[in-house]
Amino acid sequence: GENVEQHPSTLSVQEGDSAVIKCTYSDSASNYFPWYKQELGKGPQLIIDIRSNVGEKKDQRIAVTLNKTAKHFSLHITETQPEDSAVYFCAASKGTGRRALTFGSGTRLQVQP
Amino acid sequence: ETGVTQSPTHLIKTRGQQVTLRCSSQSGHNTVSWYQQALGQGPQFIFQYYREEENGRGNFPPRFSGLQFPNYSSELNVNALELDDSALYLCASSLALAGENIQYFGAGTRLSVL
């Protein structure tokens, strides 16, 4: 089955710096890659997603890039703020419609004021 | 807020007992997926329900079972609880359209098995 690896496990940056989280996936048939943010005591919240027919997607300070050949995708957060501190998960799924998500192990991002 | 609600928020059970967790999906969503999230790990897929039938299952034993009701709400049942079942159980709802798989999560139920 699909395997998603995520790095780093922890990341500490200064407020205003950029943060980059990287994931690799094993199944070349995967075609949907969402990123979730999970704050303490809450469920994962979708922050951005990308499909395999697109190489890059941006939403304000957040961007995601996808390299299908290398089977990796990355989350980029610019101008980080203390409220960006949380655990971030990448995920992958394949097919259309109703499909399970395979998650990475998470990255704990801490933004120092 | 995603509109996905789960109950109860916390639960304590002893080994060997049975537990039922509940999930109300976001309005208009017809698919519910359940995930188990152990401490410090990413969520793991348990199973998915679409139109009241199981539509895919992860690597979980048969003592994990579920139901989906006509209003698309869902239950997760776990029999013969084991210590390793202690985790956050997440429900995600989605609208099954061709090419779409956006899943919205509830806040979860934290289950502790003693």
Side-chain angles (χ1 to χ4, degrees):
Chain A
E2 174 69 279
N3 182 48
V4 177
E5 294 191 356
Q6 184 171 347
H7 300 280
S9 57
T10 60
L11 181 59
S12 181
V13 300
Q14 290 295 125
E15 183 177 356
D17 287 349
S18 295
V20 180
I21 303 170
K22 299 182 179 181
C23 289
T24 59
Y25 60 98
S26 61
D27 191 338
S28 57
S30 289
N31 59 2
Y32 174 65
F33 308 92
W35 285 88
Y36 286 86
K37 173 185 181 182
Q38 187 173 27
E39 297 174 298
L40 198 62
K42 297 185 179 181
Q45 175 193 2
L46 180 70
I47 57 172
I48 195 167
D49 58 8
I50 192 168
R51 301 186 187 280
S52 58
N53 59 348
V54 175
E56 184 174 358
K57 184 176 178 180
K58 189 174 181 180
D59 182 5
Q60 298 183 342
R61 297 186 296 109
I62 294 173
V64 56
T65 59
L66 171 65
N67 183 327
K68 288 189 296 183
T69 303
K71 289 189 285 186
H72 68 69
F73 56 114
S74 300
L75 177 71
H76 305 252
I77 305 174
T78 59
E79 301 173 20
T80 54
Q81 301 166 3
E83 51 265 38
D84 293 330
S85 296
V87 180
Y88 291 81
F89 292 97
C90 62
S93 73
K94 62 182 178 182
T96 59
R98 308 174 298 280
R99 292 292 183 267
L101 294 173
T102 300
F103 282 83
S105 54
T107 295
R108 182 172 297 279
L109 173 65
Q110 188 163 9
V111 180
Q112 307 284 356
Chain B
E1 296 297 327
T2 62
V4 180
T5 59
Q6 293 187 241
S7 62
T9 55
H10 296 85
L11 204 51
I12 299 175
K13 292 285 188 179
T14 56
R15 193 170 48 182
Q17 285 188 313
Q18 177 266 342
V19 68
T20 298
L21 311 181
R22 294 178 174 83
C23 172
S24 293
S25 57
Q26 184 172 332
S27 178
H29 284 185
N30 56 14
T31 303
V32 173
S33 304
W34 286 91
Y35 293 81
Q36 180 195 66
Q37 186 177 22
L39 201 60
Q41 296 182 24
Q44 277 196 297
F45 176 69
I46 303 174
F47 45 56
Q48 183 180 83
Y49 276 83
Y50 171 68
R51 290 186 176 177
E52 303 177 53
E53 292 194 0
E54 187 177 291
N55 179 60
R57 187 178 187 93
N59 189 26
F60 281 82
R63 60 190 186 82
F64 286 78
S65 63
L67 284 173
Q68 186 180 32
F69 300 99
N71 65 355
Y72 303 127
S73 65
S74 177
E75 287 182 355
L76 164 65
N77 300 288
V78 187
N79 293 324
L81 283 167
E82 301 177 0
L83 298 180
D84 284 350
D85 295 333
S86 296
L88 180 68
Y89 288 85
L90 295 163
C91 164
S93 77
S94 56
L95 177 60
L97 293 175
E100 292 294 329
N101 190 26
I102 299 176
Q103 298 190 18
Y104 298 91
F105 284 83
T109 293
R110 183 160 298 282
L111 172 65
S112 298
V113 182
L114 306 177

